C-alpha cells in the first residue's frame, strides 16, 4: 500500500495526459505546463521540431506519460498514438530515438483480419478505413491503456464479418493484458409502432461508430457510439466495463423505442463529476422522454449513473426546439459536455454544452431542467453563436473559450455562475466549418496559451492543417501560426483535431503522422 501511495503522489506531480481534454471534467486545460509561455512562443524560436510517422489517419488525441521504463530501451517520456489502421505506437516524446519504442498492430491481413473499409460502412468521411477512431484512456497507476478497435474478418465463405473489441494494453510493452480483448456486444428490449410491437435492439458492429473519447472513472470504462454518416439503423449506446476484468457492467441505449440519438461529440469525451455521475450529449433523434413512459432522448444532455446495478438516466436537459434540431440536422451532440468548477450562488455545479445550431447552454447539473415547451428558461443561460459548435470549449482561470464555425476564437468570462453575455476578448482570424476545439496550456493560473488547429469542412477536400496559439489573457493577440512560417507547415488536415500539449511540446494529429512543435533544445 505504501508503494502504491507513493506512486499516486509521484503521478500527481507529473504532466500526465491520460485522457482526452486532459481530465474527466473535459476542461481542455493542462495546468502543469511550465516550459511554454506567451513570451517564448511568440519570440520567434518556437516551431516544428520533428514528425512522428504512423501507418494511418490519427483521429484520436495523442496521450502522454512521463518517465516510463521500457524493457530493453531505458526510461522515456512517452507519447502514445492510435491510428485508423488499427495500430498503437509508443514514441519517445522528444523524438530520441526517432523509431517507435514499440508498435502494436491489431490486424493481420494475411489471415483475413483487416480494418473496416469506408465503402463497407457507406461513409466517405471515414475514408479510407476505420480502425481505432476514438481517443483511448490510460490508467497510469496500473500501466494500462484501454481502447476500442474495429475490424473486418474474412469468414469461411470468404465474406467479411465485422467486429468491435475493447482492448487492455500494457503501456510498457504494447502487449495485451490477460483477458484482453473482449468482444463488444449489447442488447436491450425496445418497441416500435408507438410501443405496440416489442423488439430486441442489438448492437450492430458495422453500423455503430465509436467516436467519442473513452472515459475511465472509479474503475469503470465508459464508451459511447453513434453512426457512420447517419447510415442506419444506429443507436446512442453507452456501455460500461470493469477496468480490471473487462466484464460488461452496464448497458444504456438513448433511443430504444426509436433509432438514432447517437453519441459522437465530434470526438470529445463523456465527462464525470466527483460523485461518479457521467454526462453525455446525444445527437439527432426522436425525443419522447417528456411523455409518460417515454425513453428516447434525441438532442439531449444526459446525466447517467448506476441505480440498482443498471446504467440509468438520473436527469437530463433538452432544448425547447428539439423537434426543429432533429428535423434540420442540427445535432446538439456535435459537442461534448464540459463541467465547470464550483461557482458561488444558487447554481454551484454547472455544465456547458452547445451544438450545430450555435446556441451555448449553461446548465445546472443538480437540476438540469428536463424539457420545457416554448422556451429554454430551464437553462441557466443561453448565448447565441454565429456558427455551429463542434467538439467542446475549454475552461481556464475563470474563462470559457469557444471557437465556432465561421467565427473567431472567443473568450467568455465566468463569474458568479454566469457567462459574460458578450466575449471579453475575441480573436481576429476566422475559421470556417467546423471551427476548432481549443486546448489550453498553463502553469496553474499564469502563462495561459490557447492552441487551436484549423482542419477541414465535412464536404471539403483535404487541405493543409494550421496550428495557431493565442494569448489566453487576450485572445486578440495571436502568438504563433504555422500559416506564417513556411518551414513549420503541417500535413494534411484531419477533421476535428484536438492539439495535445505536454512538457514543452505541442502534438498535432494529421493524416499518417503527428507533427511536434516546441522550443529549441
Amino acid at each position: 500500500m505504501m508503494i502504491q501511495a507513493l506512486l499516486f503522489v509521484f503521478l500527481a506531480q507529473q504532466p500526465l495526459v491520460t485522457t482526452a481534454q486532459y481530465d474527466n471534467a473535459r476542461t481542455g486545460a493542462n495546468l502543469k505546463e511550465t516550459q511554454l509561455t506567451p513570451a517564448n512562443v511568440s519570440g520567434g524560436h518556437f516551431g516544428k521540431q520533428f514528425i512522428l510517422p504512423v501507418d494511418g489517419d490519427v483521429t484520436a488525441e495523442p496521450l502522454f506519460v512521463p518517465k516510463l521504463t521500457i524493457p530493453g530501451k531505458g526510461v522515456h517520456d512517452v507519447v502514445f498514438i492510435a491510428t485508423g489502421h488499427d495500430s498503437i505506437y509508443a514514441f519517445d516524446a522528444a523524438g530520441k530515438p526517432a523509431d517507435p519504442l514499440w508498435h502494436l498492430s491489431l490486424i493481420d491481413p494475411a489471415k483475413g483480419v483487416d480494418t473496416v473499409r469506408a465503402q463497407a460502412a457507406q461513409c466517405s468521411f471515414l475514408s479510407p478505413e476505420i480502425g481505432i477512431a476514438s481517443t483511448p484512456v490510460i490508467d497510469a497507476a496500473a500501466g494500462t491503456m484501454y481502447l476500442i478497435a474495429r475490424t473486418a474478418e474474412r469468414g469461411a465463405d470468404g465474406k467479411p464479418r465485422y467486429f468491435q473489441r475493447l482492448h487492455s494494453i500494457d503501456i510498457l510493452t504494447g502487449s495485451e493484458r490477460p483477458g484482453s480483448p473482449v468482444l463488444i456486444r449489447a442488447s436491450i428490449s425496445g418497441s416500435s409502432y408507438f410501443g405496440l410491437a416489442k423488439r430486441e435492439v442489438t448492437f450492430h458492429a458495422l453500423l455503430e461508430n465509436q467516436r467519442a473519447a473513452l472515459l475511465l472513472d472509479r474503475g469503470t470504462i465508459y464508451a459511447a457510439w453513434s453512426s457512420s454518416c447517419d447510415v442506419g439503423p444506429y443507436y446512442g449506446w453507452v456501455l460500461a466495463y470493469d477496468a480490471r476484468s473487462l466484464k460488461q457492467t452496464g448497458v444504456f441505449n438513448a433511443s430504444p423505442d426509436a433509432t438514432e440519438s447517437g453519441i459522437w461529440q465530434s470526438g470529445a469525451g463523456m465527462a464525470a463529476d466527483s460523485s461518479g455521475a457521467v454526462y453525455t450529449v446525444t445527437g439527432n433523434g426522436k425525443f419522447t422522454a417528456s411523455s409518460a413512459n417515454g425513453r428516447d432522448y434525441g438532442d439531449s444532455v444526459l446525466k447517467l449513473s448506476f441505480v440498482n446495478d443498471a446504467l440509468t438516466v438520473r436527469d437530463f436537459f433538452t432544448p425547447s426546439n428539439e423537434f426543429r434540431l432533429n428535423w434540420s440536422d442540427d445535432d446538439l451532440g456535435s459537442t461534448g459536455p464540459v463541467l465547470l468548477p464550483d461557482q458561488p450562488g444558487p447554481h454551484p455545479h454547472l455544465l456547458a454544452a452547445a451544438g450545430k445550431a450555435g446556441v451555448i447552454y449553461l446548465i445546472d447539473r443538480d437540476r438540469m431542467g428536463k424539457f420545457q415547451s416554448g422556451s429554454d428558461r430551464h437553462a441557466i443561460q443561453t448565448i447565441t453563436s454565429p456558427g455551429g459548435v463542434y467538439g467542446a470549449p475549454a475552461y481556464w482561470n475563470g474563462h470559457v473559450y469557444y471557437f465556432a464555425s465561421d467565427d473567431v476564437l472567443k473568450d467568455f468570462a465566468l463569474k458568479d455562475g454566469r457567462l459574460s453575455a458578450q466575449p471579453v476578448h475575441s480573436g481576429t482570424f476566422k475559421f470556417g466549418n467546423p471551427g476548432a476545439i481549443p486546448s489550453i496550456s498553463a502553469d496553474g493560473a499564469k502563462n495561459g496559451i490557447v492552441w487551436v488547429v484549423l482542419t477541414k469542412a465535412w464536404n471539403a477536400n483535404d487541405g493543409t492543417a494550421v496550428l495557431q496559439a493565442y494569448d489566453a489573457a487576450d485572445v486578440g493577440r495571436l502568438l504563433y501560426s504555422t500559416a506564417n512560417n513556411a518551414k513549420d507547415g503541417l500535413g494534411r488536415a484531419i477533421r476535428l483535431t484536438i492539439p495535445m500539449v505536454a512538457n514543452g511540446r505541442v502534438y498535432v494529429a494529421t493524416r499518417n503522422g503527428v507533427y511536434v512543435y516546441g522550443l529549441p533544445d
Side-chain angles (χ1 to χ4, degrees):
M1 292 297 292
M2 179 64 72
I3 293 175
Q4 186 178 40
L6 291 173
L7 177 60
F8 277 112
V9 171
F10 169 77
L11 292 174
Q13 297 171 342
Q14 301 302 307
L16 296 165
V17 184
T18 58
T19 192
Q21 301 152 269
Y22 302 109
D23 54 47
N24 282 0
R26 307 306 186 187
T27 62
N30 173 6
L31 303 182
K32 296 182 180 180
E33 178 49 56
T34 60
Q35 299 184 46
L36 299 176
T37 70
N40 61 33
V41 167
S42 63
H45 300 294
F46 179 88
K48 182 166 64 179
Q49 293 188 329
F50 54 91
I51 303 170
L52 300 173
V54 295
D55 61 9
D57 293 354
V58 184
T59 57
E61 184 178 345
L63 301 175
F64 173 86
V65 181
K67 296 178 173 58
L68 292 180
T69 302
I70 307 298
K73 298 186 178 180
V75 178
H76 297 266
D77 292 348
V78 180
V79 62
F80 297 93
I81 302 169
T83 79
H85 198 61
D86 271 331
S87 282
I88 310 98
Y89 291 83
F91 283 99
D92 179 90
K96 300 174 183 177
D99 292 334
L101 300 170
W102 57 256
H103 167 223
L104 173 65
S105 176
L106 300 175
I107 60 173
D108 189 346
K111 295 182 178 180
V113 180
D114 213 334
T115 55
V116 178
R117 309 310 296 177
Q119 298 93 319
Q122 303 175 60
C123 186
S124 60
F125 298 169
L126 303 175
S127 179
E129 60 187 347
I130 314 168
I132 304 169
S134 73
T135 303
V137 65
I138 292 174
D139 182 343
T144 302
M145 173 191 290
Y146 302 94
L147 60 92
I148 289 177
R150 298 179 61 173
T151 56
E153 302 178 16
R154 187 173 61 244
D157 59 0
K159 296 180 179 179
R161 271 68 168 171
Y162 300 97
F163 301 92
Q164 298 190 33
R165 293 180 175 89
L166 172 63
H167 294 259
S168 173
I169 307 296
D170 184 330
I171 63 174
L172 299 181
T173 65
S175 59
E176 299 266 9
R177 293 291 194 189
S180 173
V182 294
L183 193 64
I184 302 292
R185 292 190 178 99
S187 65
I188 60 167
S189 296
S191 65
S192 57
Y193 302 107
F194 305 100
L196 299 178
K198 299 298 181 183
R199 60 181 179 142
E200 191 76 4
V201 179
T202 58
F203 180 86
H204 195 295
L206 177 59
L207 297 180
E208 318 285 359
N209 188 40
Q210 206 281 301
R211 184 67 182 93
L214 298 190
L215 168 68
L216 173 62
D217 185 61
R218 299 174 181 232
T220 298
I221 305 157
Y222 296 90
W225 281 263
S226 58
S227 73
S228 304
C229 294
D230 288 330
V231 176
Y234 66 89
Y235 299 85
W237 294 96
V238 178
L239 304 181
Y241 293 84
D242 180 82
R244 288 190 177 183
S245 66
L246 300 189
K247 177 183 177 182
Q248 190 178 88
T249 57
V251 176
F252 171 77
N253 188 300
S255 51
D257 301 325
T259 56
E260 302 183 343
S261 301
I263 299 168
W264 65 293
Q265 301 181 171
S266 299
M270 294 180 287
D273 67 16
S274 59
S275 74
V278 172
Y279 300 83
T280 191
V281 190
T282 66
N284 296 327
K286 189 175 182 181
F287 174 75
T288 63
S290 62
S291 60
N293 302 317
R295 302 191 298 166
D296 302 313
Y297 292 93
D299 290 306
S300 299
V301 182
L302 306 180
K303 179 178 182 177
L304 304 175
S305 63
F306 283 92
V307 178
N308 298 325
D309 296 327
L311 195 55
T312 304
V313 175
R314 297 295 302 273
D315 201 356
F316 67 92
F317 170 87
T318 305
S320 60
N321 64 341
E322 56 79 21
F323 183 84
R324 187 193 66 78
L325 294 178
N326 183 32
W327 181 261
S328 58
D329 189 29
D330 278 336
D331 301 57
L332 182 63
S334 65
T335 66
V338 172
L339 310 187
L340 300 174
D342 288 0
Q343 298 293 303
H347 307 288
H349 303 135
L350 297 175
L351 175 153
K356 290 182 185 178
V359 178
I360 300 167
Y361 300 93
L362 203 60
I363 301 165
D364 185 337
R365 304 198 313 262
D366 299 323
R367 297 174 297 278
M368 297 179 70
K370 298 182 171 58
F371 173 77
Q372 303 291 328
S373 179
S375 77
D376 287 327
R377 60 187 180 276
H378 52 314
I380 302 303
Q381 187 179 8
T382 60
I383 297 174
T384 300
S385 168
V389 184
Y390 293 79
Y395 169 85
W396 175 70
N397 203 30
H399 295 261
V400 178
Y401 301 83
Y402 276 94
F403 206 145
S405 298
D406 304 304
D407 201 6
V408 297
L409 176 62
K410 290 181 176 177
D411 165 13
F412 295 88
L414 177 66
K415 185 178 181 181
D416 297 332
R418 303 276 295 187
L419 292 172
S420 56
Q422 299 295 325
V424 294
H425 296 105
S426 296
T428 57
F429 193 97
K430 181 180 286 189
F431 281 9
N433 179 282
I437 307 174
S439 178
I440 294 173
S441 64
D443 183 4
K446 64 183 181 181
N447 291 330
I449 301 173
V450 185
W451 303 89
V452 296
V453 177
L454 171 64
T455 58
K456 62 187 287 292
W458 66 272
N459 58 350
N461 295 325
D462 290 353
T464 300
V466 175
L467 171 68
Q468 291 185 338
Y470 294 83
D471 187 342
D474 179 1
V475 298
R477 183 183 174 215
L478 179 66
L479 304 174
Y480 173 84
S481 175
T482 56
N484 300 331
N485 296 270
K487 65 181 177 58
D488 287 352
L490 276 162
R492 295 165 63 201
I494 289 288
R495 184 168 165 80
L496 304 168
T497 295
I498 306 177
M500 186 274 283
V501 187
N503 206 26
R505 291 185 174 86
V506 182
Y507 300 84
V508 183
T510 67
R511 289 193 179 273
N512 300 109
V514 170
Y515 284 61
V516 185
Y517 293 78
L519 298 167
D521 291 334

